[in-house]
Amino acid sequence: MSNIGTWMQRTAQSWLVFDGLTDHDASAIGVVTALQFLPQLLLAPWAGVLADRLDRRRLLLCTQTAMAALAAALGVLVLSGAVTLEIVYVFALALGVATTVDAPVRQTFVSELVDDEHLSNAVALNSTSFNSARLVGPAVAGVLVAAVGTGWVFLLNTVTFGAMLAAILVIRVDELRPMPRSGRGRGQIREGLAYVAGRPDIVAVLVAIFLLGTFGMNFAVFLAAMAGPEFGRGSEVFGALNSVLALGTVAGALLSARRRRARLRYVFGGSAAFGLACLGAATAPTLPLFALWLVPCGLASLTVMTTANAYVQSTTSPVMRGRVMSLYMAIFMGGTPLGAPLVGWLTDALGPRWGMGAAVAAGAGGAAVGLLFLLRLRSGRTGAGPGAPA
């Protein structure tokens, strides 16, 4: 329920900026996206230390409450007519701070709910839940934006946070798996960086994830530009395209859930498939064909994300997991402040189809990183972590 509300707000916020506060300015969406993910670059290492040191369940209660409050405040400002583009920028930045703390805590909390044998499956099922909501949320948001406006969508998202908070409160704490926690001390961030530097397999995954997260996953920009200027449609089609994309992401998550182990081949092969699917979407001559190409785009992107997430978690020492996952999230989401404005500018300057060319290049780059790593692995010049499946 909370994920449905989150996707509704994401869709409504993008359309508010694109159609309500600007004259179809893709660069403005890029700036909002960049501000929302900028804290990942600045605060993620400290968020990882908190995830390794403090009670993750209590931290989740704090971060989820903060995000609900931000959604409520933005909804009130929109309904009162007081919202401006600059205010949306401020709220995007504040939401980014809360999300930065929330992300590594929420990711590593999975390991307290299930054992390591089922961790890969649990990560994939978590992604299934998130992306199943993507089937419903954007489509509902598109209809509601057209019917009652964006403000009510933000307020409805506030209500859906109640489901998440209730779920956290009713968890039976005595049945959680106790995980080792790091104590207070200096050098904990450096310790996490040194651990990752000593794992060439994780470094290769992080480079591929950086390319896709920075230049490939800017779907808010791509879909708004293709729905509006390219095909001349409104918010309903924008929401529907997000839902079509979600068909692929749900399929990718379910396929990942079937696999017992996260393997590197799915990360790098998925990157290649993502680039090819985005190339098909970018060159699609009609809206229906463009929508059809979004399905393999979503499938490939979720295959990469869920596999990379599960691989990093399952092959990382439990006491280092929070710091490593914070670095993972910083690289995956923190690259967006660099890529989103650039993709937005490229879309405005050369057109939506050339903007999607950035996603094509990102997929090709991720595949090239994987090919290089596997060649070095076969030559014996590098290696994966203990028991890590290639």
Side-chain angles (χ1 to χ4, degrees), residues 264 372-384 390:
L264 291 175
L372 178 62
F373 172 77
L374 292 176
L375 289 174
R376 289 172 62 86
L377 181 63
R378 290 185 177 181
S379 67
R381 286 181 288 172
T382 187

PDB file of all heavy atoms in Angstrom, residues 264 372-384 390:
ATOM      1  N   LEU A 264      26.832 -12.963 -11.112  1.00  0.00           N
ATOM      2  CA  LEU A 264      27.340 -11.797 -11.821  1.00  0.00           C
ATOM      3  C   LEU A 264      26.887 -11.774 -13.275  1.00  0.00           C
ATOM      4  O   LEU A 264      26.692 -10.707 -13.850  1.00  0.00           O
ATOM      5  CB  LEU A 264      28.875 -11.776 -11.758  1.00  0.00           C
ATOM      6  CG  LEU A 264      29.493 -11.499 -10.389  1.00  0.00           C
ATOM      7  CD1 LEU A 264      31.005 -11.640 -10.458  1.00  0.00           C
ATOM      8  CD2 LEU A 264      29.124 -10.104  -9.908  1.00  0.00           C
ATOM      9  N   LEU A 372      35.032  -7.021 -19.273  1.00  0.00           N
ATOM     10  CA  LEU A 372      36.408  -6.777 -18.828  1.00  0.00           C
ATOM     11  C   LEU A 372      36.708  -7.536 -17.545  1.00  0.00           C
ATOM     12  O   LEU A 372      37.771  -8.160 -17.404  1.00  0.00           O
ATOM     13  CB  LEU A 372      36.632  -5.275 -18.625  1.00  0.00           C
ATOM     14  CG  LEU A 372      38.023  -4.860 -18.113  1.00  0.00           C
ATOM     15  CD1 LEU A 372      39.101  -5.269 -19.120  1.00  0.00           C
ATOM     16  CD2 LEU A 372      38.067  -3.356 -17.865  1.00  0.00           C
ATOM     17  N   PHE A 373      35.768  -7.506 -16.592  1.00  0.00           N
ATOM     18  CA  PHE A 373      35.988  -8.208 -15.320  1.00  0.00           C
ATOM     19  C   PHE A 373      36.114  -9.711 -15.539  1.00  0.00           C
ATOM     20  O   PHE A 373      37.005 -10.363 -14.981  1.00  0.00           O
ATOM     21  CB  PHE A 373      34.848  -7.918 -14.351  1.00  0.00           C
ATOM     22  CG  PHE A 373      34.906  -8.758 -13.101  1.00  0.00           C
ATOM     23  CD1 PHE A 373      35.800  -8.465 -12.092  1.00  0.00           C
ATOM     24  CD2 PHE A 373      34.076  -9.866 -12.959  1.00  0.00           C
ATOM     25  CE1 PHE A 373      35.869  -9.245 -10.946  1.00  0.00           C
ATOM     26  CE2 PHE A 373      34.132 -10.659 -11.826  1.00  0.00           C
ATOM     27  CZ  PHE A 373      35.033 -10.345 -10.815  1.00  0.00           C
ATOM     28  N   LEU A 374      35.229 -10.288 -16.353  1.00  0.00           N
ATOM     29  CA  LEU A 374      35.265 -11.730 -16.578  1.00  0.00           C
ATOM     30  C   LEU A 374      36.544 -12.147 -17.296  1.00  0.00           C
ATOM     31  O   LEU A 374      37.103 -13.219 -17.023  1.00  0.00           O
ATOM     32  CB  LEU A 374      34.035 -12.158 -17.374  1.00  0.00           C
ATOM     33  CG  LEU A 374      32.701 -12.026 -16.631  1.00  0.00           C
ATOM     34  CD1 LEU A 374      31.535 -12.387 -17.531  1.00  0.00           C
ATOM     35  CD2 LEU A 374      32.678 -12.896 -15.381  1.00  0.00           C
ATOM     36  N   LEU A 375      37.033 -11.310 -18.217  1.00  0.00           N
ATOM     37  CA  LEU A 375      38.301 -11.610 -18.888  1.00  0.00           C
ATOM     38  C   LEU A 375      39.457 -11.592 -17.891  1.00  0.00           C
ATOM     39  O   LEU A 375      40.335 -12.459 -17.924  1.00  0.00           O
ATOM     40  CB  LEU A 375      38.552 -10.606 -20.019  1.00  0.00           C
ATOM     41  CG  LEU A 375      37.652 -10.739 -21.248  1.00  0.00           C
ATOM     42  CD1 LEU A 375      37.906  -9.605 -22.233  1.00  0.00           C
ATOM     43  CD2 LEU A 375      37.859 -12.092 -21.937  1.00  0.00           C
ATOM     44  N   ARG A 376      39.442 -10.610 -16.984  1.00  0.00           N
ATOM     45  CA  ARG A 376      40.491 -10.545 -15.967  1.00  0.00           C
ATOM     46  C   ARG A 376      40.365 -11.703 -14.980  1.00  0.00           C
ATOM     47  O   ARG A 376      41.371 -12.216 -14.478  1.00  0.00           O
ATOM     48  CB  ARG A 376      40.413  -9.208 -15.229  1.00  0.00           C
ATOM     49  CG  ARG A 376      40.837  -8.008 -16.071  1.00  0.00           C
ATOM     50  CD  ARG A 376      40.566  -6.694 -15.355  1.00  0.00           C
ATOM     51  NE  ARG A 376      41.321  -6.594 -14.125  1.00  0.00           N
ATOM     52  CZ  ARG A 376      42.573  -6.134 -14.037  1.00  0.00           C
ATOM     53  NH1 ARG A 376      43.208  -5.756 -15.141  1.00  0.00           N
ATOM     54  NH2 ARG A 376      43.185  -6.058 -12.875  1.00  0.00           N
ATOM     55  N   LEU A 377      39.141 -12.112 -14.700  1.00  0.00           N
ATOM     56  CA  LEU A 377      38.925 -13.234 -13.790  1.00  0.00           C
ATOM     57  C   LEU A 377      39.492 -14.525 -14.383  1.00  0.00           C
ATOM     58  O   LEU A 377      40.154 -15.312 -13.696  1.00  0.00           O
ATOM     59  CB  LEU A 377      37.428 -13.394 -13.511  1.00  0.00           C
ATOM     60  CG  LEU A 377      37.011 -14.513 -12.551  1.00  0.00           C
ATOM     61  CD1 LEU A 377      37.579 -14.255 -11.167  1.00  0.00           C
ATOM     62  CD2 LEU A 377      35.498 -14.611 -12.491  1.00  0.00           C
ATOM     63  N   ARG A 378      39.259 -14.727 -15.674  1.00  0.00           N
ATOM     64  CA  ARG A 378      39.762 -15.934 -16.326  1.00  0.00           C
ATOM     65  C   ARG A 378      41.287 -15.937 -16.427  1.00  0.00           C
ATOM     66  O   ARG A 378      41.910 -17.003 -16.404  1.00  0.00           O
ATOM     67  CB  ARG A 378      39.150 -16.076 -17.720  1.00  0.00           C
ATOM     68  CG  ARG A 378      37.662 -16.421 -17.682  1.00  0.00           C
ATOM     69  CD  ARG A 378      37.128 -16.662 -19.082  1.00  0.00           C
ATOM     70  NE  ARG A 378      35.722 -17.072 -19.028  1.00  0.00           N
ATOM     71  CZ  ARG A 378      35.004 -17.362 -20.108  1.00  0.00           C
ATOM     72  NH1 ARG A 378      35.563 -17.295 -21.317  1.00  0.00           N
ATOM     73  NH2 ARG A 378      33.750 -17.719 -19.994  1.00  0.00           N
ATOM     74  N   SER A 379      41.869 -14.749 -16.549  1.00  0.00           N
ATOM     75  CA  SER A 379      43.321 -14.673 -16.631  1.00  0.00           C
ATOM     76  C   SER A 379      43.989 -14.749 -15.279  1.00  0.00           C
ATOM     77  O   SER A 379      45.218 -14.771 -15.176  1.00  0.00           O
ATOM     78  CB  SER A 379      43.738 -13.368 -17.336  1.00  0.00           C
ATOM     79  OG  SER A 379      43.413 -12.244 -16.536  1.00  0.00           O
ATOM     80  N   GLY A 380      43.163 -14.762 -14.197  1.00  0.00           N
ATOM     81  CA  GLY A 380      43.705 -14.898 -12.853  1.00  0.00           C
ATOM     82  C   GLY A 380      44.203 -13.610 -12.251  1.00  0.00           C
ATOM     83  O   GLY A 380      44.835 -13.622 -11.178  1.00  0.00           O
ATOM     84  N   ARG A 381      43.922 -12.463 -12.872  1.00  0.00           N
ATOM     85  CA  ARG A 381      44.427 -11.191 -12.345  1.00  0.00           C
ATOM     86  C   ARG A 381      43.503 -10.542 -11.346  1.00  0.00           C
ATOM     87  O   ARG A 381      43.823  -9.528 -10.742  1.00  0.00           O
ATOM     88  CB  ARG A 381      44.668 -10.220 -13.514  1.00  0.00           C
ATOM     89  CG  ARG A 381      45.891 -10.568 -14.335  1.00  0.00           C
ATOM     90  CD  ARG A 381      46.092  -9.565 -15.442  1.00  0.00           C
ATOM     91  NE  ARG A 381      45.083  -9.713 -16.494  1.00  0.00           N
ATOM     92  CZ  ARG A 381      44.943  -8.865 -17.496  1.00  0.00           C
ATOM     93  NH1 ARG A 381      45.708  -7.787 -17.569  1.00  0.00           N
ATOM     94  NH2 ARG A 381      44.027  -9.076 -18.428  1.00  0.00           N
ATOM     95  N   THR A 382      42.320 -11.089 -11.159  1.00  0.00           N
ATOM     96  CA  THR A 382      41.414 -10.561 -10.151  1.00  0.00           C
ATOM     97  C   THR A 382      40.527 -11.710  -9.695  1.00  0.00           C
ATOM     98  O   THR A 382      40.617 -12.814 -10.215  1.00  0.00           O
ATOM     99  CB  THR A 382      40.555  -9.407 -10.704  1.00  0.00           C
ATOM    100  OG1 THR A 382      39.815  -8.831  -9.642  1.00  0.00           O
ATOM    101  CG2 THR A 382      39.579  -9.887 -11.769  1.00  0.00           C
ATOM    102  N   GLY A 383      39.659 -11.441  -8.748  1.00  0.00           N
ATOM    103  CA  GLY A 383      38.828 -12.511  -8.243  1.00  0.00           C
ATOM    104  C   GLY A 383      37.601 -12.002  -7.564  1.00  0.00           C
ATOM    105  O   GLY A 383      37.467 -10.813  -7.290  1.00  0.00           O
ATOM    106  N   ALA A 384      36.666 -12.924  -7.282  1.00  0.00           N
ATOM    107  CA  ALA A 384      35.439 -12.586  -6.569  1.00  0.00           C
ATOM    108  C   ALA A 384      35.616 -12.914  -5.094  1.00  0.00           C
ATOM    109  O   ALA A 384      36.638 -13.437  -4.671  1.00  0.00           O
ATOM    110  CB  ALA A 384      34.270 -13.353  -7.174  1.00  0.00           C
ATOM    111  N   ALA A 390      29.812 -16.547 -10.063  1.00  0.00           N
ATOM    112  CA  ALA A 390      29.923 -15.706 -11.251  1.00  0.00           C
ATOM    113  C   ALA A 390      28.798 -16.007 -12.229  1.00  0.00           C
ATOM    114  O   ALA A 390      28.462 -15.164 -13.018  1.00  0.00           O
ATOM    115  CB  ALA A 390      31.277 -15.926 -11.926  1.00  0.00           C
TER     116      ALA A 390
END
